[in-house]
Amino acid sequence: MISISDAISIVKANGKPLLQKTIKKVEKAGGYLLFEDILSPINMPPFRQSAMDGYALNSHDDLSYQLIGEIKAGDGHQPILKKGEAVRIFTGAAVPDSANAVMMQEKVIQDGKNIITIEHQIQLEQNIRPLGEQVKTGDLALKKGTKLTPAAIGYLISLGITEVSVFKKPNIAIVTTGNELIEAGQDLSYGKIYESNSKMLLSTLYSLKFYDVTLYKVEDDYSKTVDILNTAINDNDLVLITGGISVGDYDFVGKALNELLVEELFYKVKQKPGKPLFYGKKNDTQIFALPGNPAAALSCFYVYVYIALQKLMNRDAIELPRIEAKSISKFKKKGDRPQFLKAIYNNGEVEILEGQNSSMLQTFALSNALVYAPETVTEINKEDTIEVIQLPV
């Protein structure tokens, strides 16, 4: 049995970035990292653009101007303004090359049908977004490794880009084991429970924008366990197994992994929940055998699997944020193992929740954080400063 810190170090040391390229439609590339630099194919804006509703002017010494027309956003005509002439213009519209300023409409008086008077002398180029103000043709738009956020997606589409080269995300398998498990929606006969771990982990992966996930279900049968795990390992970059890793008569996962020549990197971590955690690899595929208890499985996911996923994606920030917070609860820790406690963090304070049993998800459903209680801590009191792991929301 190894320590938490040693287990985390082993996961970090054995995770390798995929570094494979795939092409995605821009609108479906959210959360991916750019595989290569993107150079702008156009100037943005592609023309001198009005920053507001008002009047485009060819300035002169007088405050009065002859109004000769109108330009709306999207209009393609470009009137030629002589000195002392103006056109009505709207936000986003193309400013004629012969105009040298836009005066906002609030500072203009229309004296007649075709005459306007401005309140004061203008500054040249005021309220005009210059050609290529945001980015120029051929300039770097976004660099390799940039995470494609909603804003980045919008930016690329505004440049007319429809497809991007991104780092491929991993193929992930979720394998659930156990004769007692049935699908939600079926009649719950005596001795059976609804299988929730796979959907819980699937939802967690989806929330982190990992979508290439395959679900496998295997009964407590040794040969079937070997076959399913062999397929999952050969076809995926990361395999998550829930249940069957302990030493009961019908826990076949450990024996199956051994038969498949999976290299064991650690088995059992001094922690609560999640002591019976296995981590290994075969070739370039990483395998986590998570505890069967749902809260323990999810805790191990956030502490260890999250790191492996970020390493696969070649990201810099590979651990969930850890901060210090003031406890507003009392908690007495049993045993000598470090503990991850389900909690609610808010504005520098953290509440440790009731119901910390590893089989219970009700408390986890309310949590947005895990409190880390190290081996040396036997009791947490109100006002104590404690370490908090912030969970993704």
Side-chain angles (χ1 to χ4, degrees):
M1 186 160 56
I2 67 171
S3 68
I4 292 170
S5 60
D6 285 345
I8 289 174
S9 295
I10 290 171
V11 174
K12 288 180 178 179
N14 284 275
K16 292 182 179 179
L18 282 178
L19 300 180
Q20 298 173 21
K21 181 172 78 170
T22 187
I23 306 297
K24 289 287 181 182
K25 293 286 187 183
V26 172
E27 63 270 22
K28 295 183 178 181
Y32 283 83
L33 303 183
L34 285 176
F35 190 83
E36 55 198 12
D37 291 346
I38 292 184
L39 305 182
S40 179
I42 62 170
N43 292 307
M44 179 51 66
F47 45 80
R48 298 169 71 234
Q49 189 178 53
S50 179
M52 58 186 55
D53 295 342
Y55 296 86
L57 316 168
N58 188 335
S59 62
H60 65 161
D61 294 335
D62 200 335
L63 296 179
S64 293
Y65 287 81
Q66 181 77 29
L67 189 61
I68 66 167
E70 178 183 273
I71 303 175
K72 303 185 299 296
D75 285 350
H77 66 283
Q78 185 173 160
I80 299 175
L81 304 181
K82 299 175 184 176
K83 282 190 175 296
E85 291 184 337
V87 290
R88 182 80 165 103
I89 199 164
F90 297 90
T91 304
V95 177
D97 290 342
S98 54
N100 53 21
V102 170
M103 180 61 69
M104 69 175 66
Q105 62 187 16
E106 292 83 358
K107 297 186 180 296
V108 174
I109 300 170
Q110 190 158 355
D111 296 332
K113 184 176 180 181
N114 296 319
I115 300 295
I116 61 170
T117 301
I118 62 176
E119 293 183 356
H120 53 75
Q121 290 292 345
I122 60 151
Q123 295 179 352
L124 295 181
E125 300 301 316
Q126 72 180 51
N127 301 322
I128 297 175
R129 299 170 184 151
L131 176 76
E133 178 186 36
Q134 188 171 181
V135 66
K136 292 181 172 58
T137 301
D139 283 355
L140 179 67
L142 290 176
K143 66 180 180 179
K144 177 181 178 178
T146 298
K147 183 177 180 180
L148 293 176
T149 62
I153 297 295
Y155 173 48
L156 292 177
I157 291 176
S158 76
L159 299 177
I161 295 170
T162 59
E163 292 184 335
V164 285
S165 298
V166 294
F167 284 96
K168 180 184 178 296
K169 290 187 178 182
N171 294 319
I172 303 169
I174 299 174
V175 182
T176 55
T177 68
N179 289 342
E180 75 279 16
L181 304 176
I182 63 171
E183 289 291 315
Q186 298 180 8
D187 291 336
L188 190 63
S189 57
Y190 185 74
K192 302 292 186 181
I193 60 173
Y194 290 124
E195 194 280 306
S196 61
N197 279 2
S198 66
K199 305 304 191 299
M200 174 185 71
L201 293 171
L202 181 68
S203 177
T204 308
L205 289 166
Y206 281 0
S207 72
L208 297 171
K209 301 190 182 302
F210 293 97
Y211 300 116
D212 296 324
V213 185
T214 304
L215 301 182
Y216 301 84
K217 170 71 170 67
V218 61
E219 298 173 357
D220 290 327
D221 177 276
Y222 178 67
S223 62
K224 290 180 180 178
T225 301
V226 171
D227 289 344
I228 290 293
L229 289 180
N230 185 53
T231 298
I233 291 168
N234 288 335
D235 293 349
N236 294 276
D237 304 297
L238 180 70
V239 176
L240 307 179
I241 309 163
T242 66
I245 192 57
S246 293
V247 291
D249 292 346
Y250 296 96
D251 292 325
F252 297 123
V253 169
K255 296 174 186 176
L257 293 175
N258 185 58
E259 180 170 327
L260 293 169
L261 303 179
V262 171
E263 179 187 357
E264 179 183 312
L265 297 170
F266 65 74
Y267 174 50
K268 293 186 179 179
V269 182
K270 190 174 183 180
Q271 64 183 15
K272 185 178 179 180
K275 174 184 172 183
L277 173 66
F278 172 96
Y279 175 59
K281 65 180 181 180
K282 183 175 182 180
N283 300 323
D284 290 330
T285 300
Q286 298 177 74
I287 300 102
F288 286 91
L290 304 170
N293 280 326
L298 191 56
S299 295
C300 289
F301 180 97
Y302 285 131
V303 177
Y304 303 102
V305 179
Y306 183 89
I307 292 172
L309 289 167
Q310 305 313 305
K311 289 280 286 186
L312 282 166
M313 291 300 297
N314 200 29
R315 290 174 178 159
D316 294 328
I318 62 172
E319 291 189 65
L320 289 171
R322 296 190 181 220
I323 58 174
E324 290 189 338
K326 183 185 296 184
S327 175
I328 60 172
S329 310
K330 293 186 67 175
F331 181 81
K332 190 171 182 64
K333 183 161 71 71
K334 297 178 182 178
D336 64 348
R337 281 182 283 164
Q339 248 180 294
F340 297 104
L341 304 169
K342 297 172 283 293
I344 297 174
Y345 171 80
N346 182 44
N347 197 29
E349 297 182 331
V350 62
E351 176 188 2
I352 300 171
L353 300 175
E354 300 291 335
Q356 294 291 335
N357 191 291
S358 63
S359 64
M360 296 180 180
L361 279 178
Q362 183 180 21
T363 303
F364 224 140
L366 305 175
S367 302
N368 64 2
L370 293 173
V371 165
Y372 175 61
E375 185 175 1
T376 54
V377 170
T378 58
E379 192 172 31
I380 296 173
N381 295 300
K382 292 182 179 180
E383 303 296 316
D384 283 354
T385 298
I386 51 181
E387 184 177 1
V388 174
I389 302 171
Q390 292 182 293
L391 302 180
V393 293

